[in-house]
Amino acid sequence: MGHREDLLEGAKRCLLEKGYGRTTARDIVAASGTNLASIGYHYGSKDALLQQAFLALTEEWGDRVGPAGTGEEGRALPAEPYARFHTVWEQVIAAAGASRPLWKLQTEIVTRLDDDEKLREAIKQPQREGRLGMAEGFLGLDPEADPEKARVAGLLCQALATGVMIQWMVDPDTAPSADDLTAGLKVLMDEGD
């Protein structure tokens, strides 16, 4: 790897270990084995590097828990919508413990948005793209075939993911399971028992 990639990997480690506000340029340099000048040369600033690292972590999480069209270990996800929804939520919830540092980081990022317009701007478009990815991965919707349907479904999936992960962070003993979420969806759709 070159300095650019080393910096990104080091910044990702720092974000997960220290958080956004407590990560310094020196922390990143120590974690990456590079030098301070490399940050400016490759990313322009520490904040730009941290933004890239945060987006990379979020994208990696999405790839781990519900890539479009495949389940864990490459098996195909069910085509039936409720079964697919259930399977993907099993994957998301199974990763809840390992995802905790990322969700803690995301919570910190959200609290900074009112005071950091550059950070807000940096995450807007990736958030929109993430919604479409969730609609595709969680529900099997093709964003190109029906953009509006995928958009609104992605909004719902994103809201659910955030709410579920916060519940898992606060109280894992009572946080929803994939069975709970699927049953709740059926109730909302008036198809529950």
Side-chain angles (χ1 to χ4, degrees), residues 18-35:
K18 300 185 96 175
Y20 193 90
R22 292 188 2 224
T23 295
T24 67
R26 292 190 188 283
D27 294 330
I28 297 167
V29 167
S32 66
T34 61
N35 58 63

Side-chain angles (χ1 to χ4, degrees), residues 10-20 22-23 31 101 104-105:
K12 289 176 357 186
R13 281 193 304 279
C14 289
L15 284 173
L16 293 174
E17 292 169 10
K18 300 185 96 175
Y20 193 90
R22 292 188 2 224
T23 295
K104 182 178 175 184
L105 174 63

Side-chain angles (χ1 to χ4, degrees), residues 10-75:
K12 289 176 357 186
R13 281 193 304 279
C14 289
L15 284 173
L16 293 174
E17 292 169 10
K18 300 185 96 175
Y20 193 90
R22 292 188 2 224
T23 295
T24 67
R26 292 190 188 283
D27 294 330
I28 297 167
V29 167
S32 66
T34 61
N35 58 63
L36 284 172
S38 293
I39 294 173
Y41 178 78
H42 290 290
Y43 290 93
S45 70
K46 176 194 83 161
D47 287 340
L49 170 56
L50 289 178
Q51 291 164 9
Q52 282 298 119
F54 172 68
L55 295 174
L57 286 166
T58 304
E59 187 174 322
E60 290 166 8
W61 176 84
D63 290 344
R64 272 194 317 274
V65 301
T70 61
E72 60 187 18
E73 299 175 11
R75 72 170 192 233

Side-chain angles (χ1 to χ4, degrees), residues 82-159:
Y82 289 122
R84 182 184 188 98
F85 182 86
H86 187 273
T87 300
V88 172
W89 276 105
E90 282 181 323
Q91 292 171 204
V92 171
I93 290 168
S99 300
R100 187 177 184 88
L102 177 62
W103 286 95
K104 182 178 175 184
L105 174 63
Q106 287 191 356
T107 302
E108 179 190 357
I109 296 285
V110 168
T111 65
R112 297 179 153 278
L113 295 179
D114 283 346
D115 300 320
D116 191 337
E117 189 59 34
K118 286 183 182 179
L119 179 59
R120 178 191 301 275
E121 288 302 316
I123 65 174
K124 276 184 181 179
Q125 187 58 35
Q127 177 176 285
R128 292 172 185 155
E129 292 167 8
R131 289 177 190 144
L132 297 178
M134 291 178 112
E136 186 173 13
F138 283 40
L139 303 171
L141 299 174
D142 181 356
E144 292 183 16
D146 193 339
E148 182 57 16
K149 186 175 184 179
R151 184 188 73 80
V152 297
L155 286 166
L156 177 63
C157 289
Q158 195 172 54

